[in-house]
Amino acid sequence: MSYYFCIVGTKDNPLFELEFGTSKQGGDGIARFPTEARQLNPFIVHASLDIVEEVQWLNSQMLVSAPWLRAIHAMEIHLLTIGSMLRYLKRVDHFASSHVSCFLTPTSVKFMLLHLPHPPNTAPSTVSAAQNPNVFPPFGPYTTTTPPSSLLRASTSSSSGNTAAIPNNPTSPQTEEALRLFFTEVYEAWVKAVMNPFQNINKTLGSPVFKARVVTAGRKFL
C-alpha cells in the first residue's frame, strides 16, 4: 500500500503531511501514488472531514466542551490515560481505490490516513478512460494479488519477529489493527510535540523528531 498521512487541526487546517509506503511483505517504504492520486489526496482527505465531524458530533461521548479543551491543552500529557476519549473511527470514507481512516483526539485534532492498496514495490494498476470512462481517477479496482516468490521470501524473513505481515487489503481485521497501533504510537509522539511551550495546538508541526517518529511508526506497523 501507499499511505498519505495528515494531521488536521481544530480549524480544519493541515498541521502535518507525510507520504510513505508499506514496509511489510518486502515493501521498501516508498509511496507509489500515481500523479493524479498525489494531487487529489489532500482533497479526498478534506472531503472526508464532513463524515468525521458527523460521527463526532452525533456521538455524545465524543463531545468535548470548551473547558475540557482548555484543560486538555494545558495538561496534554495526561491525555495518554484518558483512553475512553480517544476514538479510532476506522475506515470512514473511500474514493475510487483510495480509503481514508481516522483517529480523533480529545481536542478534536484529527489524524487522517489515506491508503491506496497495491502490491509492494509496484505502482498501482491504471485504467485508461477509453477502457472505462466511469473510473476517475484512473485507478484499477482493488484485487487480491499474489506477490512474487522473492517478495514472499522477504516477507517471511521480515515477519519472523514480533510484527506480522499486513495483508494488502484495506478492510481486513489485520490492517485495521495495524492502523490502530500506528495511530496510537503517533498520538503519543504528538502529545509530546505539542507540550513544547513554543508550539500551539493549531500550529504547523515542523519538528524533524516528530517526523522521524511517524516514519518509524509506519515502518513498525504498516
Side-chain angles (χ1 to χ4, degrees):
M1 291 192 194
S2 292
Y3 299 94
Y4 168 71
F5 176 66
C6 180
I7 298 179
V8 182
T10 60
K11 300 178 181 179
D12 290 348
N13 52 315
L15 306 178
F16 179 82
E17 294 178 286
L18 180 67
E19 287 185 357
F20 60 94
T22 183
S23 296
K24 304 299 182 181
Q25 296 181 331
D28 55 10
I30 299 176
R32 288 180 169 81
F33 287 108
T35 304
E36 298 87 350
R38 182 167 279 107
Q39 296 171 349
L40 284 174
N41 284 344
F43 296 96
I44 298 174
V45 168
H46 190 271
S48 302
L49 294 178
D50 292 337
I51 299 176
V52 173
E53 292 177 355
E54 181 178 356
V55 175
Q56 175 185 4
W57 300 115
L58 287 179
N59 189 338
S60 59
Q61 294 180 352
M62 301 176 67
L63 296 178
V64 179
S65 61
W68 259 108
L69 198 60
R70 292 192 296 269
I72 289 174
H73 179 53
M75 298 183 296
E76 198 73 44
I77 188 61
H78 296 295
L79 296 181
L80 295 175
T81 62
I82 311 178
S84 61
M85 297 188 65
L86 303 179
R87 287 294 182 271
Y88 170 40
L89 304 183
K90 298 185 178 181
R91 191 170 64 102
V92 296
D93 196 11
H94 72 279
F95 180 78
S97 298
S98 298
H99 302 259
V100 181
S101 300
C102 177
F103 180 94
L104 187 65
T105 73
T107 50
S108 295
V109 173
K110 306 165 187 70
F111 293 1
M112 310 293 293
L113 184 67
L114 182 146
H115 34 114
L116 176 65
H118 59 82
N121 303 333
T122 59
S125 60
T126 58
V127 178
S128 65
Q131 293 173 323
N132 189 351
N134 297 321
V135 174
F136 184 82
F139 310 150
Y142 170 75
T143 57
T144 302
T145 305
T146 303
S149 57
S150 60
L151 292 183
L152 288 176
R153 289 193 297 270
S155 174
T156 302
S157 60
S158 63
S159 61
S160 57
N162 295 328
T163 57
I166 304 302
N168 186 35
N169 186 342
T171 60
S172 68
Q174 296 92 333
T175 302
E176 293 286 3
E177 177 64 14
L179 293 177
R180 185 188 68 82
L181 294 173
F182 168 78
F183 279 130
T184 302
E185 186 150 322
V186 172
Y187 173 72
E188 294 179 4
W190 175 79
V191 168
K192 296 175 182 178
V194 297
M195 285 186 64
N196 186 332
F198 298 101
Q199 177 68 41
N200 184 278
I201 196 172
N202 277 315
K203 182 179 178 181
T204 302
L205 271 171
S207 169
V209 175
F210 177 76
K211 180 179 179 180
R213 290 179 176 175
V214 175
V215 171
T216 300
R219 292 174 180 172
K220 183 177 179 181
F221 299 111
L222 304 179

